Amino acid sequence: MNFSFTLEELLRQAKKLKGKTVDFLLKHKEFDSGKGAIGNIIEREGFGIANNNESRPDFPELGVELKVLPLKRDTKNRLTVKERTKICSINYMNLINEKWVSSHAKNKLNKILFIFYEYNQKNPRHSKVIDYYLFNLDESDEPLLKSDWERTKREVELGRAHSLSESQNVVLAASRSGAGKLPESKWPEQPNQRIQKNARQRAFSLKPSFTKTLWHEVHYKNSLDKIIDKYKYSDAEGLENYILGQLNKWQGQSIAEFAKHHNIKKMTGKASNAFILRSALGFFDKKKQLKEIMQLGLSVKTVPCRSSDLFPWESMSFPYQPLGEIINEDRFDESEFYTYLQGFLFIPLLRDKREKQNSSTITLGKSVIWHPTHDELEDIQEEWEQIRNVIRDDLRVWKKVTNNKKGFVQKNNIPGESDTKYIHMRPHGRDSNDLDDSIKVKITKQSFWFNKSFIQKLISG
DNA sequence: GAGTGATCATGG
DNA sequence: CCATGATCACTC
């Protein structure tokens, strides 16, 4: 089976696959084994493409690359991207002689036919094609992809291919690929071997933050506003500086003044972070999220804090996660909590008292964007493991007599804010009857929180 | 004043 | 309705 498609035929074929399961595509053939099995099946049975690692696009005459992208259900049962999408292996020797416009990577990124399927963990054969989308690299995606590619090229030129890491880049990562346990002597050589001769094999991959955004655009049409429509940035740094610049024009102004200027009625409540950001950037459609904020993976947080020293009045909560899940998480970098740590845009709101005040006495502080560094993640990992281990091995819950209405509160031995530097765990339910039923011990729903002193450090710069 | 469990209130 | 961002009410 080997088809030669026109673009129309190709898209018609993609459309035909919608709703089909892997089982259906395979007819009675045997299920492939190993990594990427479902991707291979869809490419082969759906489009007649044999598993290959050619550098040309899958449909050379159309310049179209085919990518099969797995989706999974998130905690709210919505479909979201499961993992990164590999684009092409990196040849360190060639990379330093390439230019972005004619590069191997861009050649593959120009036109991609994405086939989205829902991965069925219980029975992979029941995984089902959900949708397709022909991606054209345009001006709204190119700057971030290009500046990531350039950054990686620069590192390789400097003879630092061995210290590349996924987190250096924003949307197009140089991620590890190939056999995991090869000895260093079997790694490919890098140019400029002043520091080290060999470097681990890596591939350019689209990060989940990029494909998540793409999926969002495909699935919820016209749902995103684009910052690039207001300001033409050329790299992530320029973009982040622009965002901060627009926000920090208002530093020192009260949020009442800010609200009045932007004609916002309500500046309080849980949507205030989005209001402030969107308004400062000149967007007024409340329904739409910002494409670049999603691509950068930034969580936007307002931080009420003390005017004198930026000490937050409250810790910052993360979503509730059943303890029964946490105790089964072995690796921090594969944990749910880790996925929340991509990046943050903190918007400090300064006030003198802890109690909520009139909006004319609350002023905007200096906003900060923070991406956790490798070292910071290691520190956080230690505390995450400490907390997980207590829940896993030695969780205890008891009642303590008090003067409140009920006459007692529920206590537990999970590390709290005074036991840690970065994160702690604390109740986070509707009330004290809102119990976590994922675990035998009767305990109120809990969640991770950032410690106040840690947030203070981050927003103090 | 900081830390802690509980609870409110909003928005999806 | 329920998860969750915000913050309250109490203790140490």
Side-chain angles (χ1 to χ4, degrees):
Chain A
M1 180 164 64
N2 203 343
F3 308 121
S4 176
F5 289 106
T6 65
L7 189 59
E8 291 69 33
E9 286 167 342
L10 183 61
L11 296 179
R12 207 176 307 138
Q13 179 62 18
K15 194 172 182 180
K16 251 170 73 181
L17 296 180
K18 269 176 85 160
K20 304 281 193 294
T21 62
V22 166
D23 223 12
F24 178 90
L25 292 177
L26 275 174
K27 310 272 182 345
H28 297 292
K29 283 178 235 163
E30 215 170 297
F31 193 81
D32 298 35
S33 60
K35 271 195 168 180
I38 297 178
N40 291 339
I41 293 168
I42 295 176
E43 294 199 0
R44 189 182 65 232
E45 305 300 328
F47 296 93
I49 290 181
N51 196 2
N52 71 75
N53 53 5
E54 281 189 42
S55 61
R56 330 188 278 177
D58 293 314
F59 301 98
E61 61 287 358
L62 302 175
V64 172
E65 176 73 12
L66 183 66
K67 285 290 165 211
V68 177
L69 191 153
L71 303 168
K72 61 169 185 191
R73 298 279 167 179
D74 66 11
T75 46
K76 286 171 189 151
N77 206 34
R78 286 178 309 207
L79 284 171
T80 181
V81 170
K82 180 170 170 278
E83 57 201 36
R84 61 172 90 73
T85 302
K86 185 180 160 181
I87 295 301
C88 60
S89 324
I90 302 177
N91 179 321
Y92 298 123
M93 296 302 184
N94 293 348
L95 178 67
I96 57 168
N97 297 314
E98 287 188 302
K99 286 203 164 68
W100 165 249
V101 281
S102 55
S103 66
H104 186 183
K106 180 167 186 292
N107 200 24
K108 290 243 178 187
L109 287 165
N110 277 331
K111 279 187 183 185
I112 303 178
L113 176 60
F114 282 98
I115 306 294
F116 300 98
Y117 74 91
E118 180 177 357
Y119 175 67
N120 188 319
Q121 195 181 13
K122 284 212 180 101
N123 189 345
R125 298 185 72 113
H126 290 176
S127 298
K128 194 202 282 179
V129 177
I130 303 285
D131 210 344
Y132 69 96
Y133 179 71
L134 183 65
F135 167 84
N136 282 291
L137 183 59
D138 68 15
E139 62 144 31
S140 80
D141 289 308
E142 192 167 356
L144 293 182
L145 291 168
K146 178 176 184 236
S147 60
D148 277 345
W149 184 88
E150 301 275 12
R151 183 183 301 107
T152 299
K153 180 183 165 185
R154 250 184 343 261
E155 289 293 306
V156 175
E157 277 171 339
L158 292 168
R160 293 207 292 252
H162 58 284
S163 52
L164 288 171
S165 78
E166 183 139 2
S167 60
Q168 287 169 339
N169 286 2
V170 180
V171 293
L172 184 68
S175 56
R176 286 166 63 157
S177 73
K181 288 243 166 73
L182 284 181
E184 193 178 315
S185 59
K186 293 267 174 67
W187 293 352
E189 284 194 35
Q190 63 169 319
N192 193 355
Q193 302 177 353
R194 187 157 48 101
I195 314 171
Q196 188 171 308
K197 186 175 171 199
N198 305 82
R200 205 185 282 282
Q201 179 62 57
R202 287 182 182 268
F204 282 118
S205 304
L206 292 173
K207 287 189 151 194
S209 65
F210 185 89
T211 43
K212 256 181 205 166
T213 310
L214 177 76
W215 167 245
H216 204 278
E217 285 182 301
V218 171
H219 196 60
Y220 310 93
K221 304 202 165 30
N222 304 318
S223 55
L224 300 178
D225 271 327
K226 297 174 189 148
I227 296 175
I228 201 157
D229 291 339
K230 305 266 179 194
Y231 175 74
K232 305 275 180 247
Y233 52 87
S234 59
D235 54 27
E237 206 189 353
L239 170 60
E240 292 192 347
N241 285 337
Y242 172 73
I243 294 169
L244 292 176
Q246 293 301 103
L247 280 168
N248 291 338
K249 277 182 187 169
W250 298 91
Q251 207 181 323
Q253 306 267 355
S254 77
I255 59 171
E257 289 166 308
F258 183 90
K260 195 175 156 202
H261 186 273
H262 292 98
N263 204 11
I264 310 170
K265 293 189 189 74
K266 250 176 103 276
M267 278 295 281
T268 54
K270 50 170 86 178
S272 61
N273 53 359
F275 279 141
I276 295 172
L277 177 63
R278 307 178 50 75
S279 309
L281 293 172
F283 295 99
F284 298 97
D285 185 337
K286 283 179 214 147
K287 295 244 165 65
K288 292 190 182 177
Q289 291 179 270
L290 298 174
K291 175 168 177 169
E292 287 87 347
I293 297 295
M294 208 182 261
Q295 286 186 326
L296 294 171
L298 290 178
S299 310
V300 183
K301 305 282 183 182
T302 49
V303 187
C305 52
R306 197 198 272 144
S307 329
S308 57
D309 59 359
L310 302 181
F311 189 78
W313 290 115
E314 304 289 345
S315 321
M316 202 188 86
S317 72
F318 286 88
Y320 155 70
Q321 191 189 354
L323 299 185
E325 283 178 18
I326 295 174
I327 57 176
N328 286 320
E329 292 181 322
D330 286 321
R331 290 180 51 171
F332 175 64
D333 60 359
E334 289 171 1
S335 68
E336 178 171 324
F337 183 60
Y338 184 84
T339 65
Y340 299 131
L341 300 180
Q342 254 201 293
F344 294 83
L345 167 52
F346 294 117
I347 307 174
L349 299 179
L350 315 182
R351 57 163 115 126
D352 295 329
K353 293 203 204 81
R354 190 179 183 194
E355 296 74 48
K356 204 171 134 183
Q357 284 164 280
N358 184 303
S359 65
S360 61
T361 63
I362 303 173
T363 60
L364 283 153
K366 186 177 181 196
S367 296
V368 168
I369 289 176
W370 171 64
H371 296 282
T373 64
H374 182 74
D375 289 354
E376 285 166 331
L377 285 171
E378 273 189 354
D379 290 340
I380 293 172
Q381 168 165 3
E382 249 177 60
E383 294 187 347
W384 179 85
E385 285 171 354
Q386 180 195 348
I387 291 167
R388 181 205 57 193
N389 292 348
V390 169
I391 304 167
R392 192 189 262 174
D393 307 329
D394 178 37
L395 179 57
R396 279 172 286 127
V397 175
W398 63 92
K399 283 178 185 175
K400 185 169 190 298
V401 179
T402 60
N403 286 329
N404 69 5
K405 284 179 243 163
K406 296 176 71 176
F408 64 87
V409 293
Q410 195 191 80
K411 306 283 288 180
N412 65 56
N413 64 329
I414 301 174
E417 192 156 16
S418 54
D419 304 312
T420 60
K421 280 190 187 144
Y422 307 98
I423 57 171
H424 64 279
M425 186 166 263
R426 215 160 91 231
H428 196 183
R430 181 114 175 46
D431 55 39
S432 60
N433 299 316
D434 197 6
L435 300 180
D436 180 341
D437 57 10
S438 71
I439 195 167
K440 279 189 198 132
V441 185
K442 274 211 186 319
I443 185 168
T444 52
K445 286 181 178 166
Q446 308 278 318
S447 79
F448 287 106
W449 300 66
F450 269 156
N451 290 12
K452 288 183 278 206
S453 55
F454 181 45
I455 305 172
Q456 180 189 35
K457 236 171 56 192
L458 295 174
I459 61 181
S460 301

